[in-house]
Structure formats: C-alpha cells, structure tokens
Amino acid sequence: MDCKAAAERPPEETLALWKREQAWLKARVVDWDTEPWQQDPSFSGLQRVGGVDVSFVKGDSARACATLVVLSYPELEVVHEESRMVSLTAPYISGFLAFREVPSLVDLVQRLRETEPGLLPQVLLVDGNGVLHHRGFGVACHLGVLTGLPCIGVAKKLLQVDGLENNALHKAKIQVLRAAGDAFPLTGDSGVVLGVALKSHDRSSKPVYVSVGHKLSLETAVRLTRHCCRFRVPEPVRQADIRSREHIRRTLTPPEPPAPGRERSRKVPGPKPRPKGGSGEGRSRGPGTEQGAPRPGSPEQDEDRRPGEAGHRERRALPGEGSCAEEPVPGDGGAVPPPPHVEHGKSH
C-alpha cells in the first residue's frame, strides 16, 4: 500500500522479531475452502464481501486513512463503510508491510464485529499479496489470521519472489490472455503454485495477481475475484480505495469561503406603492412581489472509479518491480488522479 522508501530502517532485532511472528502466524494459515458458500459454483449463501485499503497523506509517511467497506453480493453495492485517520508508527520495509498497516485494518473489522455483526463481511479482498510473498505470509494472510475471516490477496504488480520474474516470458504469457477469466498459474522455482495471473476484465491490458490469504482455496479465490470485477480491480478494493482518498480530501481540505457577491439572502419586500389620486380605499392593489431565496443545491460525490481505484496511492516498488503507476485501461473505471494531498501505495 505505502510506496515510499522508509526514512529509517528498524533495528535488526525488530526485523528478527517480525520474522518470528510471521512464521508463527503462517502456521495458522488455512489454504483450503472452509465455508459452505465456497463449495457452490454460484457462491450461493455469500451475501457480503469486504474490501480494505490504506491511503497516505502526501508528504507525511505516518498519517494515513484506513478504510473498510462491505458490499452486497452479487449486486456489489456498498452497504457499509468506515474510514478513520490513523497514525502509523512502523516504517515501510519490503516484506513487512503488514506490521505497518494491518493493525488499523484489524481495528476496523473488530469495531464492525462489535457494533453491527450482521454486516460483517464473509470474505475480505485485500489490495496486496497473500502466500505470494517473500516468506509465504503477505498482508492478506496476516489480516485473515488475525481477524479469522477468509481473505484474498489481489495485487496489481507481480511480486518477484521464488524465481518469479516480470520478464519477456511472463509478458508473453500475459499477451495470450484474451478474455476476462483467462489466467495462468504463478509457479515458483520451488515448484509451488503461489498464485494466479488473472485477466479480470475484457478491456484490461494487465492482469491482477491473485493469491490465497486465509480460509479458502486458490481456485475459489480466483473465481470470486473474477465475479467481483466491474473493472480491472475488484469492486470491494476499488470502493475502499475511492473512499479512503475521499476521506483524506474531506478531512484535510478546508471549506471554501463563498465568493464575494455570491451570498444568498432572503429579499425583504418593501412597502407596496399606493395608486395616485385618493386614499386608495376600495381600490385593488397589484400582486405582491416577494420571492423566497432559491434553495442551494447539494453536489453529489462521483464515486464511480477505482480505486480509481482513493489514484491509488503511490506504491513502494519492491526489488525488481517497476514504478507503481498503473496504466489506464479503457472502461476500467478510469484511474482518477488523486488530489494533491493524497498518496496511494500497495500491500506486499
């Protein structure tokens, strides 16, 4: 999610502690289907899908907005959202993103579980990786294990681990993907299938990279991701991104004062003129001219883009990755440039 180089690298003791915690939590990852709705080809019984996102304030590596959205399924309409400004204390270190962002996301899930359990998502889609990770335990795994919810990692860039490379061979495979739903496995040098490159939309020129987070199989993760896509990026992630960036904009942008001379006020009518020639008794008066002030309009927020999609924040490039900018895709919801104070990055 966050894409800038860390100002300070934590002590080696901290990194060693984080590695031990990842290994301990990784042993709790479940990479097979666990819920009845996952067994059904049409996902019968699945009613709520969630998406999470963290957007950063430009120029401030510690201040961010964490967002959780819940969408109805299969309609993919937002039924719940919560965004909160948070302060992040852990620096960004490639391979340890979860220690920076997951605590705020876990808090949002826990608040929803306590206040409106009927809206708790049955699965979470995360803008980042799951088992497709340096140590097989990315942010989607971390969030899934800590919340106990099924989680899917959906990344826009290939994380080059276990011999996976964004080389000419990989790009040639992408060119073979013709229609939405076409995919190919991401098999590392270890022989393990770490994820799938999925063409999620007919007009997308780039795939998304799907991997297991927790409590579902890779096949289910890929199918559900495809069913959640109106554009290239799955709608739960896309909506979370839109709303996190919008929350930063509303929070940090002061209200604009009214333009001079544009203030609206109610016109107070003056005395009505009396006709000449007499007291006017018994004579009819002209119609009144009092007129109420027009009601101000209320602009509506346009949210039909992705994350776009809250752009996405600039993402930190991992070793071997290119820039975090995403190529615009016709019909992809249109990657809308972020406001000047919003910075977007991605989870690895």
Side-chain angles (χ1 to χ4, degrees), residues 193-212:
V193 177
L194 300 174
V196 163
L198 169 69
K199 185 178 179 68
S200 56
H201 190 273
D202 283 329
R203 289 189 285 179
S204 295
S205 61
K206 296 180 180 180
V208 292
Y209 297 94
V210 181
S211 56
V212 169

Side-chain angles (χ1 to χ4, degrees), residues 78-241:
V78 176
V79 297
H80 169 83
E81 67 172 290
E82 182 176 5
S83 296
R84 301 177 68 191
M85 296 302 296
V86 296
S87 295
L88 306 178
T89 56
Y92 172 82
I93 300 293
S94 177
F96 297 100
L97 179 68
F99 293 95
R100 178 167 170 80
E101 299 185 2
V102 161
S104 299
L105 300 176
V106 170
D107 286 347
L108 289 174
V109 173
Q110 188 59 30
R111 280 165 57 88
L112 181 58
R113 179 177 270 133
E114 293 170 356
T115 58
E116 296 185 86
L119 291 177
L120 193 70
Q122 295 163 276
V123 60
L124 283 172
L125 279 73
V126 182
D127 188 3
N129 293 295
V131 298
L132 176 56
H133 178 264
H134 307 78
R135 286 169 294 283
F137 192 76
V139 65
C141 298
H142 210 129
L143 183 60
V145 170
L146 293 186
T147 61
L149 296 176
C151 269
I152 301 172
V154 185
K156 295 191 296 297
K157 296 282 185 177
L158 174 65
L159 184 59
Q160 301 182 103
V161 296
D162 194 15
L164 294 174
E165 293 184 48
N166 188 20
N167 53 20
L169 176 59
H170 182 78
K171 293 174 182 176
K173 290 181 179 179
I174 291 174
Q175 294 302 314
V176 177
L177 305 178
R178 298 298 184 187
D182 289 351
F184 61 85
L186 301 169
T187 305
D189 287 346
S190 63
V192 176
V193 177
L194 300 174
V196 163
L198 169 69
K199 185 178 179 68
S200 56
H201 190 273
D202 283 329
R203 289 189 285 179
S204 295
S205 61
K206 296 180 180 180
V208 292
Y209 297 94
V210 181
S211 56
V212 169
H214 187 47
K215 283 189 165 183
L216 39 61
S217 66
L218 180 58
E219 187 271 338
T220 296
V222 172
R223 276 197 305 124
L224 183 56
T225 298
R226 171 68 189 97
H227 286 193
C228 287
C229 288
R230 289 176 172 168
F231 306 105
R232 179 194 177 204
V233 175
E235 199 66 9
V237 174
R238 197 177 79 92
Q239 288 296 331
D241 176 69

